[in-house]
Amino acid sequence: EKEIIAKNAPETTSRYIPVRVKAILKEEFGQKCSIPTCRKPAQEIHHSQRFSLAHTHDPRYMAPLCREHHQ
């Protein structure tokens, strides 16, 4: 399903992350930070592919992180 969402992810200027993308990330990573050794709750979603350049919320390039790891 992640591939299907990624393939159909439209370009956007909105920083609002669609509910469907959030659900996929929650299913994959749960409520915790995606860093393997971290046990803190995820508080932010990180775009590893810069949103300002890509203008898309592609779940293949996103991960939930705790505030410390996101900074």
Side-chain angles (χ1 to χ4, degrees), residues 10-70:
E11 283 198 18
T12 182
T13 57
S14 173
R15 290 197 169 264
Y16 171 78
I17 298 171
V19 173
R20 202 165 151 199
V21 173
K22 288 181 182 180
I24 291 292
L25 295 173
K26 186 176 181 180
E27 183 179 314
E28 184 175 349
F29 297 102
Q31 298 286 343
K32 304 282 184 192
C33 178
S34 62
I35 303 297
T37 57
C38 185
R39 297 288 176 234
K40 295 178 183 173
Q43 295 176 315
E44 301 175 28
I45 297 178
H46 174 69
H47 288 80
S48 60
Q49 180 183 51
R50 289 188 177 212
F51 179 77
S52 61
L53 298 175
H55 297 285
T56 185
H57 299 292
D58 185 337
R60 296 176 297 179
Y61 302 106
M62 298 173 75
L65 296 174
C66 66
R67 188 162 285 129
E68 181 181 329
H69 282 116
H70 194 246

Side-chain angles (χ1 to χ4, degrees), residues 1-10 58-60:
E1 187 176 0
K2 196 174 192 179
E3 292 297 321
I4 294 169
I5 292 172
K7 184 184 272 189
N8 297 323
D58 185 337
R60 296 176 297 179

